[in-house]
Amino acid sequence: MLERPTRQALPKKLFVKTYGCQMNMYDSERMSEMLAAVGYEAVQAPDDADLVVLNTCHIREKAAEKVYSEVGRLRALKRRRPDMLIAVAGCVAQAEGGEVMRRAPSVDIVVGPQAYHRLPEMLARAERARGGAGIVDVDFRPEAKFDELPVPERPAGPSAFLTIQEGCDKFCTFCVVPYTRGAEYSRPAAAVIAEAKQLAKRGAREIVLLGQNVNAWRGEGPEGRDWTLARLIRALAEVEGVDRLRYTTSHPRDMSDDLIEAHGAVPALMPFLHLPVQAGSDRVLERMNRKHRASDYRRIVERLRAARPDIALASDFIVGFPGESDRDFEQTMKLVRDVGYAQAYSFKFSARPGTPAAADPLQVPEAAKGERLACLQELLNSQQRTFNRSCVGKRVPVLFERPGRRRGQLVGRSPYMQAVHAEAGPARIGDLAEVEIMAAGPNSLSGGSPAI
Ligand code: SAH
Ligand code: SF4
Ligand code: F3S
């Protein structure tokens, strides 16, 4: 009797969409790697995906609402392809839990940022329960997650993220992160070093250490003693193949002496630091529970510049925090003028459910928030343009990461995180080479051919 040919199981298709911060980008990469191991192949569009993962952000109202409009669009696809599964991951999943499914019944799985290592098992359950009750896992044990994630084997890009710390104990009065990501947790130094070695072996030359409060990292060192982030950075700078290190995002309160010193002492540590200050008025900083004054921040900046004179700074700002007066806002403008930023993000205060600032009776009217934001952004944009223009005529080392829009063009990063477009073929992706900067735009630089 003839045997019937067995059909090779086709890889299933996975589409991941990432919102929010770099931590979510790292998590999305890890989820894709993990799902690749159980037969899912990543695709660039949701149309014929078997599984769509929305890795969501809850930080501001606009960010959180995006997920519901995206699920709305996916619902139409799902009507045509009822086998498609939709998973909502990340901070909206953590904050809203089962509520996500009540608002969006086409969602099959809700998985928090500390539970996604269990996705394969949840998928198997969801496939069995198709059309039935959804599956929710918002358990909170980051150590379990890191221990259980598989070791990836795919090549890494020239610049790779490495999460070393998660969660936040600071409780700024406007912020949801302590609730969505839980208490501060630092991965042990040995695990971080092992992952860095492995990333370098897979082709990464730059490692960006990630954490909600990355400079609060305190880990057990290989010899059992406690390590600080500065000590970890020194150890990572020794890893073969690691030419560049960065860390983000830092809190001014944890900018310790040894970390400031490391900026002067470790050449691999790039001269660019994202150090959010949020506001320039002590009254507002106090109401935000930032636990430092504007003068403390100015002093940190001075010391960083003394340690590493060419360091460039970035920050986040919130305008229209409850109780912020015109005078308070003027102090933010003054701080920005005094410090001088290479780059910054600025936001209107968004009242987030459950945070103390949301219940504050002194909410600032929307119109005033809008005016302040426009005013601040005009200043920040002009500082960014000035900084970019100051690079014209200089030779800067660029790490090439990806093809540019035009053929024969590559895009890389300068030490100061600027995107640099240069004339070079794809064979040079992964190269670190000097480029002469010829022109500066608001958001990027352009240069000639890189030196060999
Ligand atoms: N851990 C980092 C930032 C995390 S959130 C830190 O402490 O700086 C990223 C940025 O989003 C914050 O720096 C802040 O500027 C902004 N943000 C957070 N909550 C916000 C809110 N409720 N409204 C507007 N902006 C907010
Ligand atoms: Fe949010 Fe403040 Fe923690 Fe940053 S330090 S994550 S702004 S609570
Ligand atoms: Fe957003 Fe969560 Fe990051 S709320 S900013 S995705 S930690």
Side-chain angles (χ1 to χ4, degrees):
M1 201 169 93
L2 277 176
E3 241 179 77
R4 283 171 61 177
T6 47
R7 208 157 55 102
Q8 188 87 34
L10 287 172
K12 292 189 174 178
K13 295 198 168 80
L14 163 71
F15 175 68
V16 182
K17 186 159 181 176
T18 310
Y19 304 83
C21 62
Q22 288 118 325
M23 196 80 92
N24 263 11
M25 287 161 76
Y26 174 87
D27 287 345
S28 289
E29 280 170 22
R30 303 309 307 265
M31 276 190 265
S32 304
E33 279 161 355
M34 194 180 60
L35 293 169
V38 294
Y40 281 90
E41 177 187 85
V43 292
Q44 300 307 315
D47 307 69
D48 56 350
D50 298 289
L51 169 64
V52 175
V53 177
L54 303 177
N55 198 9
T56 61
C57 174
H58 200 245
I59 202 83
R60 285 168 292 276
E61 191 180 348
K62 259 196 208 147
E65 287 305 313
K66 273 187 200 156
V67 49
Y68 291 104
S69 37
E70 187 63 37
V71 174
R73 280 191 288 274
L74 292 172
R75 202 175 48 208
L77 282 179
K78 199 165 168 160
R79 241 179 256 134
R80 277 195 283 120
R81 308 187 52 243
D83 280 356
M84 182 172 104
L85 292 174
I86 302 177
V88 171
C91 291
V92 174
Q94 191 65 47
E96 298 186 7
E99 188 57 31
V100 172
M101 279 161 180
R102 278 185 286 280
R103 273 187 72 182
S106 41
V107 172
D108 302 281
I109 294 175
V110 174
V111 56
Q114 315 297 5
Y116 66 76
H117 54 288
R118 287 192 290 274
L119 249 180
E121 163 200 325
M122 295 166 75
L123 280 170
R125 271 166 56 209
E127 273 168 6
R128 284 196 300 272
R130 223 175 265 286
I135 292 164
V136 181
D137 188 342
V138 288
D139 191 21
F140 243 81
R141 281 184 307 127
E143 59 281 26
K145 171 176 87 176
F146 287 113
D147 289 347
E148 286 170 36
L149 282 172
V151 177
E153 280 156 20
R154 303 191 298 189
S159 175
F161 292 134
L162 201 178
T163 294
I164 64 168
Q165 184 274 344
E166 275 213 58
C168 181
D169 297 338
K170 297 276 191 304
F171 290 93
C172 300
T173 51
F174 52 81
C175 185
V176 295
V177 171
Y179 313 98
T180 63
R181 294 274 171 164
E184 280 180 9
Y185 166 74
S186 295
R187 293 177 69 189
V192 173
I193 295 168
E195 190 166 329
K197 283 185 175 159
Q198 209 240 336
L199 283 168
K201 225 188 278 159
R202 287 163 58 207
R205 299 187 68 175
E206 172 177 281
I207 293 186
V208 185
L209 306 175
L210 299 181
Q212 264 91 29
N213 268 293
V214 72
N215 57 344
W217 182 90
R218 286 285 174 288
E220 188 191 323
E223 41 354 31
R225 270 186 296 139
D226 248 17
W227 276 19
T228 59
L229 179 61
R231 180 71 191 82
L232 181 68
I233 284 172
R234 285 171 192 264
L236 292 172
E238 301 296 314
V239 171
E240 198 177 318
V242 173
D243 297 303
R244 288 181 162 190
L245 288 166
R246 306 179 186 276
Y247 59 95
T248 195
T249 302
S250 295
H251 193 288
R253 283 273 298 191
D254 296 310
M255 227 37 238
S256 56
D257 295 348
D258 64 340
L259 188 54
I260 294 175
E261 254 167 54
H263 278 276
V266 182
L269 189 55
M270 289 294 97
F272 176 85
L273 183 64
H274 187 139
L275 189 64
V277 64
Q278 314 296 356
S281 143
D282 286 343
R283 224 173 55 87
V284 173
L285 287 171
E286 163 118 42
R287 296 171 66 96
M288 287 179 163
N289 192 31
R290 290 292 288 181
K291 303 189 180 85
H292 67 80
R293 287 163 304 188
S295 57
D296 301 321
Y297 183 87
R298 288 168 190 267
R299 177 89 193 106
I300 293 168
V301 170
E302 256 170 45
R303 292 174 54 214
L304 280 163
R305 286 186 166 144
R308 178 84 204 224
D310 66 335
I311 199 164
L313 292 160
S315 179
D316 296 344
F317 296 92
I318 296 179
V319 299
F321 186 80
E324 183 189 69
S325 65
D326 285 338
R327 232 183 116 233
D328 292 319
F329 174 66
E330 216 15 78
Q331 288 177 310
T332 299
M333 292 291 283
K334 177 151 180 13
L335 183 123
V336 173
R337 273 186 225 109
D338 293 347
V339 171
Y341 289 97
Q343 196 249 317
Y345 298 101
S346 45
F347 312 99
K348 287 194 256 185
F349 167 73
S350 168
R352 305 305 291 130
T355 60
D360 193 313
L362 300 177
Q363 299 294 324
V364 171
E366 207 43 44
K369 285 187 199 172
E371 275 168 34
R372 287 176 196 171
L373 187 67
C375 187
L376 175 62
Q377 288 187 337
E378 195 183 308
L379 174 62
L380 290 167
N381 289 341
S382 85
Q383 291 193 340
Q384 185 169 332
R385 277 196 304 273
T386 306
F387 179 73
N388 285 350
R389 263 192 240 124
S390 74
C391 299
V392 176
K394 290 187 185 150
R395 296 176 72 83
V396 302
V398 176
L399 176 61
F400 291 106
E401 293 180 16
R402 57 186 166 84
R405 239 174 285 136
R406 279 193 292 105
R407 255 174 87 94
Q409 195 189 48
L410 291 185
V411 186
R413 296 258 172 210
S414 76
Y416 311 107
M417 276 303 266
Q418 295 143 301
V420 181
H421 301 264
E423 306 302 317
R428 302 215 56 183
I429 290 180
D431 273 10
L432 185 54
E434 290 217 331
V435 173
E436 185 173 340
I437 303 304
M438 326 263 231
N443 296 309
S444 66
L445 304 176
S446 356
S449 308
I452 306 295

